[in-house]
Amino acid sequence: ETGVTQSPTHLIKTRGQQVTLRCSSQSGHNTVSWYQQALGQGPQFIFQYYREEENGRGNFPPRFSGLQFPNYSSELNVNALELDDSALYLCASSRTSGRAGETQYFGPGTRLLVL
Amino acid sequence: GESVGLHLPTLSVQEGDNSIINCAYSNSASDYFIWYKQESGKGPQFIIDIRSNMDKRQGQRVTVLLNKTVKHLSLQIAATQPGDSAVYFCAEWQAGTALIFGKGTTLSVSS
């Protein structure tokens, strides 16, 4: 096990609603990254937080936002849910940011279904 | 655009055989690659990594080969076991923050 946990495991929402997903990183890891994994695809980078500030962002609209807290927990918020937001959402923690070779440890993911 | 991809979506092998999973990348500036294993219902699990200044790296039962000339890397699993059945992803580290994943190869091991 990686020591990274996520909640909830599954979630069903309707189009237009808002959702908050949670992640608890490994102790001592000050960087958390969020990924979206559509069915049958590889994970796609959403954004990364380092010491509670956004540190990089992929090709996702502003309705995807996040927070990171000092206690190694973090949140992914998605507003105005769309059907295409249905996916597995993964968080990954690492000791630091922006350095090749820094292993990212993934949680089990939250499966979101938007109806 | 530049991306990391895999040659085959599925691979079926017999228990005890060696497995080879391939990946092609297009960003010649990439200098760090990682292989992840993802079992059903779980997040990706780190297997092995390699930097661009290396051609080969070995772990326990796994070997990663990097051919920079043709921008290709492979994951070799020796003596494949049923527990190796999973989806395997190669990922490229993008300078700054992100891992860029390919689509994955599903490895099925029959006993």
Side-chain angles (χ1 to χ4, degrees):
Chain A
E1 298 302 323
T2 64
V4 180
T5 59
Q6 292 186 244
S7 63
T9 55
H10 296 82
L11 200 55
I12 300 175
K13 291 285 189 178
T14 56
R15 195 169 50 183
Q17 285 188 310
Q18 178 266 344
V19 69
T20 297
L21 310 181
R22 293 180 173 84
C23 173
S24 180
S25 301
Q26 278 194 28
S27 179
H29 284 194
N30 57 24
T31 301
V32 64
S33 304
W34 286 89
Y35 293 81
Q36 180 195 67
Q37 186 175 22
L39 201 61
Q41 304 293 317
Q44 276 196 294
F45 176 68
I46 303 175
F47 46 57
Q48 183 182 85
Y49 276 77
Y50 172 66
R51 292 185 174 177
E52 302 165 45
E53 293 199 0
E54 188 175 296
N55 189 44
R57 191 176 186 93
N59 189 25
F60 280 82
R63 60 188 184 84
F64 286 78
S65 63
L67 287 171
Q68 185 186 25
F69 305 101
N71 64 351
Y72 304 114
S73 66
S74 57
E75 293 179 354
L76 165 65
N77 299 288
V78 187
N79 293 322
L81 282 166
E82 301 176 0
L83 298 180
D84 285 348
D85 295 334
S86 296
L88 179 69
Y89 288 86
L90 296 158
C91 74
S93 75
S94 53
R95 285 185 306 163
T96 188
S97 166
R99 190 173 74 191
E102 195 60 57
T103 303
Q104 294 192 9
Y105 297 91
F106 283 84
T110 293
R111 176 75 61 187
L112 173 65
L113 177 61
V114 182
L115 301 176
Chain B
E2 296 178 322
S3 63
V4 178
L6 289 172
H7 291 304
L8 292 174
T10 61
L11 177 64
S12 297
V13 301
Q14 291 283 332
E15 181 179 1
D17 287 351
N18 296 332
S19 303
I20 300 176
I21 302 172
N22 297 305
C23 178
Y25 65 95
S26 57
N27 187 350
S28 57
S30 300
D31 61 0
Y32 179 60
F33 304 90
I34 312 100
W35 282 98
Y36 281 90
K37 171 186 180 183
Q38 187 174 24
E39 297 174 281
S40 181
K42 297 184 178 181
Q45 176 188 356
F46 174 89
I47 301 173
I48 192 168
D49 58 4
I50 189 167
R51 295 185 181 277
S52 60
N53 60 355
M54 303 171 70
D55 296 323
K56 178 180 179 179
R57 191 168 188 211
Q58 288 185 292
Q60 187 176 10
R61 280 202 308 118
V62 294
T63 301
V64 56
L65 298 177
L66 177 63
N67 185 329
K68 295 178 285 294
T69 302
V70 294
K71 292 185 287 188
H72 177 272
L73 69 160
S74 64
L75 176 70
Q76 300 179 1
I77 305 174
T80 313
Q81 303 167 0
D84 295 327
S85 294
V87 181
Y88 289 81
F89 294 97
C90 63
E92 164 192 13
W93 189 82
Q94 183 176 56
T97 53
L99 287 175
I100 307 300
F101 285 80
K103 290 186 177 181
T105 291
T106 299
L107 176 64
S108 298
V109 183
S110 53
S111 51

